[in-house]
């Protein structure tokens, strides 16, 4: 065109606004299509489109999956065949590398565990590690029997040992310790004196000779209930008793005796 009007007319004639897809050219350089127009490209894409293809028609790349299928349908079938969803325990393989079992299938592993399981074993069948217990038993039953034999539940006092380290007793069994304590409880010391004497916790029966003074320890909570037996064998002289406390015993007449007991505040004659 040599004029503006002619140029506008020429552009309007070539304008694609009223062109059909068949009239618009298509560059197939990079797409891989063979079409040269937009319509042909659309038709080619529609022909190859997977939207209406079946799984059998769609190819499958099995490079990394480990499957052998070359189509989607074949891959689905192959997965379904190998799928464990409908497999029995006998069909599922088992890796026994770390378990110590010999089974190669899940069923065999379950059977092996069941055979070795302790659920139905008796105490005689279950082994026992006696490394730290000091027992000699090698099974649970033997351990129970050994403990029962050594148990103190049915032992007599003579069979149970006694540690006399801190008690001051000489007994080595519970029975001997009881006997020793009973003997001490039933055996009271007796002492003869012929001079002024202050009594203490080791005295019980005190036989006096001559005109002397016996001093009692101060009555207190610590000696509440303690008893002294004072026997005066002198036929002429009374024994003077000091420390009897207010209203307490003060002496023992000639050829007489007095049993005195502490109430925690004074010594009272109880005979």
């Amino acid at each position: 065109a040599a004029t503006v009007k002619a140029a506008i007319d020429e552009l309007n004639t070539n304008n694609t606004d009223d062109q059909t897809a068949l009239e618009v050219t298509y560059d197939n350089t990079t797409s891989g299509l063979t079409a040269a127009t937009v319509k042909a490209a659309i038709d080619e894409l529609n022909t190859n489109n997977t939207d209406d293809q079946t799984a059998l028609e769609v190819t499958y790349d099995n490079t990394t999956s480990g499957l052998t299928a070359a189509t989607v349908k074949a891959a689905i079938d192959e997965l379904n065949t190998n799928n464990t969803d409908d497999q029995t325990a006998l069909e599922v393989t088992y890796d026994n590398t770390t378990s110590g079992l010999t089974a190669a299938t899940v069923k065999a592993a379950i059977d092996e565990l069941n055979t070795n399981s302790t659920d139905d074993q008796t105490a005689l069948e279950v082994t026992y590690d006696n490394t730290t217990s000091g027992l000699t038993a090698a099974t649970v039953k033997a351990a129970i029997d050994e403990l029962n034999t050594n148990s103190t539940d049915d032992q007599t006092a003579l069979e149970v040992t006694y540690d006399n380290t801190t008690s001051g007793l000489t007994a080595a069994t519970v029975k001997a310790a009881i006997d020793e304590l009973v003997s001490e409880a039933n055996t009271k010391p007796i002492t003869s004196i012929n001079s002024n004497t202050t009594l203490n916790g080791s005295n019980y029966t005190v036989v006096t000779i001559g005109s002397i003074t016996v001093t009692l320890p101060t009555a207190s909570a610590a000696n509440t209930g303690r008893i002294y037996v004072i026997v005066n064998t002198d036929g002429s002289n009374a024994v003077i008793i000091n420390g009897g406390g207010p209203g307490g015993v003060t002496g023992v007449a000639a050829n007489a005796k007095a049993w005195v007991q502490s109430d925690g505040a004074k010594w009272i004659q109880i005979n």
Side-chain angles (χ1 to χ4, degrees):
T3 67
V4 172
K5 180 180 185 301
I8 292 172
D9 290 341
E10 188 173 340
L11 286 171
N12 185 54
T13 301
N14 296 329
N15 197 317
T16 61
D17 287 346
D18 60 352
Q19 290 178 296
T20 64
L22 182 61
E23 297 172 314
V24 181
T25 59
Y26 168 72
D27 182 358
N28 59 25
T29 306
T30 58
S31 67
L33 298 178
T34 57
T37 66
V38 170
K39 180 179 185 302
I42 293 171
D43 290 342
E44 189 172 342
L45 286 170
N46 187 53
T47 302
N48 296 329
N49 196 322
T50 62
D51 289 344
D52 59 353
Q53 290 178 296
T54 64
L56 183 61
E57 296 171 313
V58 181
T59 58
Y60 169 71
D61 181 358
N62 59 26
T63 307
T64 59
S65 67
L67 299 178
T68 58
T71 67
V72 170
K73 181 180 184 301
I76 293 171
D77 290 342
E78 189 171 342
L79 286 170
N80 187 53
T81 302
N82 296 329
N83 196 323
T84 61
D85 288 344
D86 59 354
Q87 289 178 294
T88 64
L90 183 61
E91 297 171 314
V92 181
T93 59
Y94 168 72
D95 180 358
N96 58 26
T97 307
T98 59
S99 67
L101 299 178
T102 58
T105 67
V106 170
K107 181 180 184 301
I110 293 171
D111 290 343
E112 189 171 342
L113 286 170
N114 186 53
T115 301
N116 296 328
S117 173
T118 62
D119 288 344
D120 58 355
Q121 289 179 295
T122 64
L124 183 61
E125 296 171 314
V126 181
T127 58
Y128 169 72
D129 181 0
N130 59 25
T131 307
T132 59
S133 67
L135 299 178
T136 58
T139 67
V140 170
K141 181 181 184 299
I144 293 171
D145 290 343
E146 189 171 342
L147 286 170
N148 187 52
T149 301
N150 297 328
S151 173
T152 62
D153 288 343
D154 59 354
Q155 289 178 295
T156 65
L158 182 61
E159 296 172 313
V160 181
T161 58
Y162 169 72
D163 181 0
N164 58 26
T165 307
T166 58
S167 68
L169 299 178
T170 59
T173 68
V174 170
K175 181 180 184 301
I178 293 171
D179 291 343
E180 191 171 340
L181 288 171
V182 169
S183 176
E184 288 185 1
N186 293 332
T187 303
K188 304 297 183 183
I190 184 169
T191 307
S192 294
I193 59 175
N194 57 14
S195 61
N196 296 339
T197 302
T198 298
L199 303 185
N200 56 43
S202 65
N203 297 117
Y204 183 75
T205 301
V206 180
V207 179
T208 66
I209 302 170
S211 179
I212 62 174
T213 297
V214 174
T215 302
L216 301 174
T218 302
S220 66
N223 58 28
T224 299
R226 182 181 298 173
I227 295 174
Y228 291 120
V229 180
I230 302 172
V231 181
N232 183 2
T233 61
D234 192 297
S236 304
N237 301 299
V239 172
I240 298 172
I241 297 179
N242 286 337
V249 64
T250 57
V252 182
N255 289 325
K257 60 185 176 182
W259 290 57
V260 295
Q261 186 172 21
S262 169
D263 68 357
K266 61 183 177 295
W267 291 90
I268 303 172
Q269 186 168 343
I270 59 174
N271 67 322

